Amino acid sequence: MSDEYWIWGSAATAPRILHSMVRVADLERSLAFYCGTLGMQVLSRVDVEAGRFSIVFISFAGDYSAPAIELTWNWDHPANQEGYSHGTGYGHVAIGIPDLHGFCAQLEARGVPIVTGPKTLLPGAPALAFIRDPDGYSIELIQTSRQTTPAS
Amino acid sequence: MSDEYWIWGSAATAPRILHSMVRVADLERSLAFYCGTLGMQVLSRVDVEAGRFSIVFISFAGDYSAPAIELTWNWDHPANQEGYSHGTGYGHVAIGIPDLHGFCAQLEARGVPIVTGPKTLLPGAPALAFIRDPDGYSIELIQTSRQTTPAS
């Protein structure tokens, strides 16, 4: 069998969460945001002419051992003009950021609005912030290094 | 500072995806599904009386080093009766399963409908299946061990 499709490895003995998938209206816009602005990498991209869609796996790691996001772009979908709708159920993807305050300052300098925060909800707890991706999906940013946390 | 809130570690030097969050209408029903049926574990649960909500982190691993799902239950939300709505944008969480066909057979025996599959879309590729959680969120199951893949 070919290795090319076994991107998640083939020696697993236990279940594990691999990725979450969201549909995007403009793939290049999303890649500019997730990779150019947030710093993720493209792990793989598949353009399916017959099905008129593309899928791209992106991650902060260079391989599929870490959790990923799957972006699905349907080439001819009306949502590409109208936007995808967001129900009340799905919440967000959370990303751990070593220096949250510095990261948020960088995002603002690049024109990304910080919807909430960065703020610390409980004394001694990591600071949190929320942003939105170009399609309006909520992203939670969580401070993951104490050393760079200023008082807040 | 207290360690109790630094559940994702505090020595990170690079960003990483931590979890995805979905709102659920009946927390015990969701825990029965994700933990009892799918085999995940509760990492932590916080019940916030003042905010009238609970959050529970669940994972296939026993700690926060692996990706998790955050279940949010708003105690008094109308969606607890009416159900949360699902827009057109959010897709699914994908879970790698070593023996997908066996796992799907177990799910069916426990009354979980297999919405799609298990089937192999391309020769040599892992088999896929789709199920839904009690709130209707789509979950993709992906075969992650070649040894147990029957021809399909």
Side-chain angles (χ1 to χ4, degrees):
Chain A
M1 283 187 285
S2 164
D3 280 329
E4 65 180 312
Y5 301 120
W6 292 81
I7 54 180
W8 298 285
S10 58
T13 56
R16 76 179 208 270
I17 295 172
L18 301 174
H19 59 260
S20 57
M21 186 278 268
V22 292
R23 299 176 186 91
V24 300
D26 181 334
L27 183 57
E28 295 311 316
R29 180 181 67 175
S30 294
L31 290 175
F33 176 79
Y34 283 102
C35 298
T37 304
L38 294 190
M40 299 178 75
Q41 304 173 50
V42 171
L43 297 178
S44 63
R45 172 176 178 156
V46 182
D47 300 294
V48 183
E49 174 71 38
R52 308 286 298 162
F53 70 90
S54 300
I55 58 174
V56 181
F57 288 100
I58 55 177
S59 170
F60 285 103
D63 59 54
Y64 292 92
S65 62
I69 294 174
E70 178 185 9
L71 303 175
T72 296
W73 175 47
N74 296 300
W75 301 355
D76 310 313
H77 200 285
N80 295 350
Q81 276 74 49
E82 303 160 5
Y84 282 102
S85 65
H86 301 289
T88 57
Y90 173 67
H92 57 254
V93 161
I95 299 173
I97 303 289
D99 173 11
L100 180 62
H101 289 76
F103 193 78
C104 285
Q106 288 176 8
L107 291 180
E108 287 192 303
R110 294 174 185 176
V112 178
I114 309 299
V115 178
T116 303
K119 62 183 178 185
T120 302
L121 301 180
L122 296 166
L128 306 175
F130 282 89
I131 59 174
R132 291 192 182 279
D133 91 342
D135 289 276
Y137 296 107
S138 183
I139 298 173
E140 181 180 26
L141 305 174
I142 302 175
Q143 168 92 16
T144 52
S145 167
R146 302 189 194 203
Q147 283 66 38
T148 53
T149 308
S152 59
Chain B
M1 283 187 285
S2 165
D3 280 329
E4 67 181 309
Y5 301 121
W6 291 82
I7 55 180
W8 298 283
S10 59
T13 57
R16 74 180 210 268
I17 296 171
L18 301 175
H19 58 261
S20 58
M21 186 277 268
V22 293
R23 300 177 186 90
V24 301
D26 181 335
L27 183 57
E28 296 312 317
R29 179 181 68 176
S30 295
L31 290 175
F33 175 80
Y34 283 101
C35 298
T37 303
L38 294 191
M40 298 177 77
Q41 305 173 50
V42 170
L43 297 179
S44 63
R45 173 176 177 155
V46 181
D47 300 295
V48 183
E49 174 71 39
R52 307 286 298 160
F53 69 90
S54 301
I55 58 174
V56 182
F57 288 99
I58 55 176
S59 170
F60 285 103
D63 60 53
Y64 291 93
S65 63
I69 294 173
E70 178 185 10
L71 304 175
T72 295
W73 175 48
N74 295 300
W75 300 355
D76 310 313
H77 200 284
N80 296 350
Q81 277 72 50
E82 303 160 7
Y84 282 101
S85 65
H86 300 291
T88 57
Y90 174 67
H92 57 255
V93 161
I95 299 172
I97 302 290
D99 174 11
L100 180 63
H101 289 76
F103 192 78
C104 285
Q106 289 177 7
L107 291 179
E108 286 191 305
R110 294 174 185 178
V112 178
I114 308 299
V115 179
T116 304
K119 62 183 177 184
T120 301
L121 301 179
L122 296 165
L128 306 175
F130 283 88
I131 60 175
R132 290 191 184 278
D133 91 343
D135 289 278
Y137 297 106
S138 183
I139 298 172
E140 181 179 26
L141 304 174
I142 303 175
Q143 167 91 17
T144 52
S145 169
R146 301 188 194 206
Q147 282 66 39
T148 53
T149 309
S152 59

